Protein backbone atom coordinates (compact mmCIF):
# COMPACT_ATOMS: atom_id res chain seq x y z
CA UNK A 1 0.00 0.00 0.00
CA UNK A 2 2.82 2.39 0.86
CA UNK A 3 4.43 1.78 -2.57
CA UNK A 4 1.18 2.61 -4.32
CA UNK A 5 0.84 5.87 -2.40
CA UNK A 6 4.45 6.76 -3.24
CA UNK A 7 3.75 6.20 -6.96
CA UNK A 8 0.68 8.44 -6.73
CA UNK A 9 2.73 11.20 -5.08
CA UNK A 10 5.42 10.92 -7.78
CA UNK A 11 2.79 11.09 -10.53
CA UNK A 12 1.23 14.16 -8.90
CA UNK A 13 4.65 15.81 -8.71
CA UNK A 14 5.38 15.03 -12.38
CA UNK A 15 2.07 16.61 -13.41
CA UNK A 16 2.43 19.64 -11.16
CA UNK A 17 2.02 23.02 -12.88
CA UNK A 18 4.83 24.49 -10.83
CA UNK A 19 7.32 21.78 -11.84
CA UNK A 20 9.92 22.91 -14.37
CA UNK A 21 11.05 20.30 -16.90
CA UNK A 22 14.76 19.68 -17.24
CA UNK A 23 16.74 20.18 -20.46
CA UNK A 24 16.47 16.51 -21.46
CA UNK A 25 12.67 16.57 -21.17
CA UNK A 26 12.43 19.80 -23.16
CA UNK A 27 14.67 18.44 -25.93
CA UNK A 28 12.65 15.20 -26.03
CA UNK A 29 9.42 17.20 -26.44
CA UNK A 30 10.98 19.40 -29.16
CA UNK A 31 12.04 16.27 -31.06
CA UNK A 32 8.50 14.83 -30.77
CA UNK A 33 7.02 18.05 -32.15
CA UNK A 34 9.54 18.11 -35.04
CA UNK A 35 8.64 14.50 -35.93
CA UNK A 36 4.93 15.36 -35.83
CA UNK A 37 5.49 18.43 -38.03
CA UNK A 38 7.45 16.34 -40.57
CA UNK A 39 4.67 13.71 -40.61
CA UNK A 40 1.95 16.30 -41.25
CA UNK A 41 4.08 18.09 -43.85
CA UNK A 42 4.38 14.73 -45.62
CA UNK A 43 0.57 14.44 -45.58
CA UNK A 44 0.27 17.97 -47.03
CA UNK A 45 2.84 17.20 -49.76
CA UNK A 46 0.96 14.00 -50.62
CA UNK A 47 -2.34 15.91 -50.94
CA UNK A 48 -0.76 18.49 -53.25
CA UNK A 49 1.08 15.87 -55.33
CA UNK A 50 -2.09 13.81 -55.88
CA UNK A 51 -4.30 16.91 -56.33
CA UNK A 52 -6.78 15.72 -53.70
CA UNK A 53 -8.31 17.23 -50.59
CA UNK A 54 -8.49 14.23 -48.25
CA UNK A 55 -6.18 11.55 -46.92
CA UNK A 56 -6.67 8.69 -44.51
CA UNK A 57 -3.62 8.32 -42.28
CA UNK A 58 -4.55 4.71 -41.45
CA UNK A 59 -5.39 3.60 -44.99
CA UNK A 60 -4.13 6.02 -47.67
CA UNK A 61 -6.08 4.32 -50.48
CA UNK A 62 -9.49 4.78 -48.77
CA UNK A 63 -11.73 7.86 -48.95
CA UNK A 64 -14.63 9.34 -47.01
CA UNK A 65 -17.86 7.95 -48.47
CA UNK A 66 -21.53 8.02 -47.60
CA UNK A 67 -22.57 4.58 -46.33
CA UNK A 68 -26.19 4.21 -45.19
CA UNK A 69 -26.43 7.88 -44.15
CA UNK A 70 -23.09 7.73 -42.31
CA UNK A 71 -19.78 9.06 -43.58
CA UNK A 72 -17.06 6.41 -43.25
CA UNK A 73 -13.57 5.79 -44.56
CA UNK A 74 -14.29 3.24 -47.30
CA UNK A 75 -13.64 1.82 -50.73
CA UNK A 76 -16.05 1.56 -53.65
CA UNK A 77 -15.96 -1.89 -55.23
CA UNK A 78 -17.06 -2.14 -58.86
CA UNK A 79 -18.17 -5.60 -60.00
CA UNK A 80 -19.13 -7.02 -63.40
CA UNK A 81 -21.27 -10.16 -63.44
CA UNK A 82 -21.75 -12.43 -66.45
CA UNK A 83 -25.54 -12.69 -66.86
CA UNK A 84 -25.36 -16.14 -68.47
CA UNK A 85 -23.42 -17.87 -65.69
CA UNK A 86 -24.13 -15.42 -62.85
CA UNK A 87 -20.43 -15.36 -61.99
CA UNK A 88 -18.22 -12.36 -61.27
CA UNK A 89 -16.32 -11.60 -64.47
CA UNK A 90 -14.29 -8.67 -63.15
CA UNK A 91 -13.93 -6.35 -60.18
CA UNK A 92 -12.07 -3.18 -59.36
CA UNK A 93 -11.63 -1.36 -56.07
CA UNK A 94 -11.80 2.43 -56.41
CA UNK A 95 -11.56 5.41 -54.10
CA UNK A 96 -14.33 7.26 -55.94
CA UNK A 97 -17.26 8.01 -53.61
CA UNK A 98 -19.95 7.18 -56.18
CA UNK A 99 -20.45 5.07 -59.31
CA UNK A 100 -20.48 7.89 -61.84
CA UNK A 101 -17.75 7.60 -64.49
CA UNK A 102 -17.22 3.92 -63.59
CA UNK A 103 -19.50 2.39 -66.25
CA UNK A 104 -17.27 2.78 -69.32
CA UNK A 105 -14.04 1.54 -67.73
CA UNK A 106 -15.74 -1.52 -66.21
CA UNK A 107 -17.69 -2.29 -69.40
CA UNK A 108 -14.52 -2.13 -71.52
CA UNK A 109 -12.59 -4.33 -69.07
CA UNK A 110 -15.41 -6.88 -69.02
CA UNK A 111 -15.78 -6.86 -72.79
CA UNK A 112 -12.08 -7.61 -73.13
CA UNK A 113 -12.13 -10.36 -70.48
CA UNK A 114 -15.20 -12.07 -71.95
CA UNK A 115 -13.96 -11.62 -75.53
CA UNK A 116 -17.34 -10.56 -76.89
CA UNK A 117 -18.00 -8.29 -79.87
CA UNK A 118 -21.70 -7.80 -79.15
CA UNK A 119 -21.84 -6.64 -75.60
CA UNK A 120 -24.72 -5.38 -73.44
CA UNK A 121 -24.43 -3.67 -70.07
CA UNK A 122 -27.19 -3.35 -67.47
CA UNK A 123 -26.50 -0.94 -64.58
CA UNK A 124 -28.44 1.05 -61.99
CA UNK A 125 -29.04 4.81 -62.20
CA UNK A 126 -25.96 5.55 -60.08
CA UNK A 127 -23.90 4.80 -63.20
CA UNK A 128 -25.81 7.23 -65.41
CA UNK A 129 -23.34 9.69 -66.89
CA UNK A 130 -23.66 10.96 -70.44
CA UNK A 131 -19.92 10.75 -71.20
CA UNK A 132 -19.85 7.06 -70.22
CA UNK A 133 -22.96 6.28 -72.25
CA UNK A 134 -21.59 7.99 -75.37
CA UNK A 135 -18.19 6.35 -74.96
CA UNK A 136 -19.73 2.89 -74.60
CA UNK A 137 -21.90 3.49 -77.67
CA UNK A 138 -18.76 4.37 -79.69
CA UNK A 139 -17.17 1.11 -78.50
CA UNK A 140 -20.27 -0.85 -79.63
CA UNK A 141 -21.47 -1.57 -76.11
CA UNK A 142 -25.26 -1.44 -75.66
CA UNK A 143 -26.26 0.28 -72.40
CA UNK A 144 -29.37 -0.11 -70.28
CA UNK A 145 -28.99 2.47 -67.55
CA UNK A 146 -32.03 4.33 -66.15
CA UNK A 147 -31.81 8.09 -66.34
CA UNK A 148 -31.28 9.82 -63.04
CA UNK A 149 -34.19 11.72 -61.59
CA UNK A 150 -33.12 15.17 -60.48
CA UNK A 151 -35.21 16.32 -57.58
CA UNK A 152 -35.78 19.80 -56.24
CA UNK A 153 -36.56 21.29 -52.86
CA UNK A 154 -40.31 21.48 -53.58
CA UNK A 155 -40.72 17.81 -54.51
CA UNK A 156 -42.79 18.88 -57.56
CA UNK A 157 -41.84 16.42 -60.34
CA UNK A 158 -43.00 18.87 -62.99
CA UNK A 159 -40.06 21.13 -62.08
CA UNK A 160 -37.31 18.54 -61.68
CA UNK A 161 -34.07 19.56 -63.40
CA UNK A 162 -34.53 17.19 -66.35
CA UNK A 163 -37.81 18.95 -67.26
CA UNK A 164 -36.03 22.18 -68.23
CA UNK A 165 -35.22 22.63 -71.94
CA UNK A 166 -32.19 24.34 -73.42
CA UNK A 167 -32.68 26.54 -76.51
CA UNK A 168 -29.33 26.83 -78.34
CA UNK A 169 -30.59 29.64 -80.60
CA UNK A 170 -31.39 31.92 -77.67
CA UNK A 171 -28.70 30.36 -75.44
CA UNK A 172 -31.13 30.03 -72.56
CA UNK A 173 -33.29 27.53 -70.70
CA UNK A 174 -37.06 27.35 -70.54
CA UNK A 175 -38.88 25.97 -67.54
CA UNK A 176 -41.79 23.50 -67.90
CA UNK A 177 -44.22 26.43 -67.63
CA UNK A 178 -42.63 27.97 -70.76
CA UNK A 179 -40.88 30.84 -68.95
CA UNK A 180 -37.46 31.92 -70.16
CA UNK A 181 -34.79 31.63 -67.45
CA UNK A 182 -32.09 34.27 -67.19
CA UNK A 183 -28.42 33.47 -66.62
CA UNK A 184 -27.43 33.15 -62.97
CA UNK A 185 -23.98 31.52 -62.77
CA UNK A 186 -21.62 28.99 -64.35
CA UNK A 187 -20.00 25.99 -62.72
CA UNK A 188 -17.26 23.49 -63.55
CA UNK A 189 -17.75 19.73 -63.57
CA UNK A 190 -14.89 17.34 -64.39
CA UNK A 191 -12.82 20.31 -65.52
CA UNK A 192 -15.40 21.49 -68.07
CA UNK A 193 -17.47 24.66 -67.90
CA UNK A 194 -21.19 23.89 -67.63
CA UNK A 195 -23.88 26.47 -68.43
Amino acid sequence: MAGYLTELDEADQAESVDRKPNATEVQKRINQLKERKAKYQGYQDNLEKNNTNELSSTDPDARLMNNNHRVEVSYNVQTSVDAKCNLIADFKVTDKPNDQRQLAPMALRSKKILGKNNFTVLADKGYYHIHDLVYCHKKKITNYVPKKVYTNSTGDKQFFLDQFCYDPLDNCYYCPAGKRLSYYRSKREYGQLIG
Side-chain angles (χ1 to χ4, degrees), residues 79-189:
T79 309
S80 299
V81 178
D82 178 12
K84 182 179 178 184
C85 302
N86 294 322
L87 294 174
I88 294 174
D90 189 22
F91 72 93
K92 181 180 179 187
V93 179
T94 73
D95 62 1
K96 306 298 182 214
N98 60 44
D99 296 330
Q100 284 194 343
R101 306 302 299 258
Q102 300 300 314
L103 179 69
M106 287 304 294
L108 290 172
R109 287 167 52 117
S110 298
K111 182 177 179 180
K112 184 176 180 181
I113 288 170
L114 297 173
K116 303 260 183 171
N117 286 332
N118 295 329
F119 199 73
T120 302
V121 172
L122 174 66
D124 65 45
K125 66 183 175 184
Y127 288 90
Y128 187 90
H129 195 281
I130 194 67
H131 296 297
D132 276 1
L133 300 175
V134 169
Y135 189 78
C136 284
H137 179 73
K138 287 179 183 176
K139 296 293 184 179
K140 298 185 176 22
I141 298 173
T142 305
N143 295 299
Y144 292 101
V145 183
K147 189 174 182 182
K148 290 181 93 168
V149 176
Y150 296 95
T151 61
N152 61 30
S153 59
T154 67
D156 185 351
K157 291 183 180 183
Q158 182 181 355
F159 288 93
F160 282 2
L161 189 61
D162 60 341
Q163 300 298 314
F164 290 73
C165 299
Y166 178 69
D167 182 354
L169 295 175
D170 289 336
N171 191 25
C172 69
Y173 281 89
Y174 286 91
C175 78
K179 303 284 185 186
R180 181 186 169 130
L181 303 176
S182 58
Y183 172 80
Y184 174 66
R185 67 182 166 121
S186 298
K187 72 174 190 171
R188 289 197 172 274
E189 185 174 298

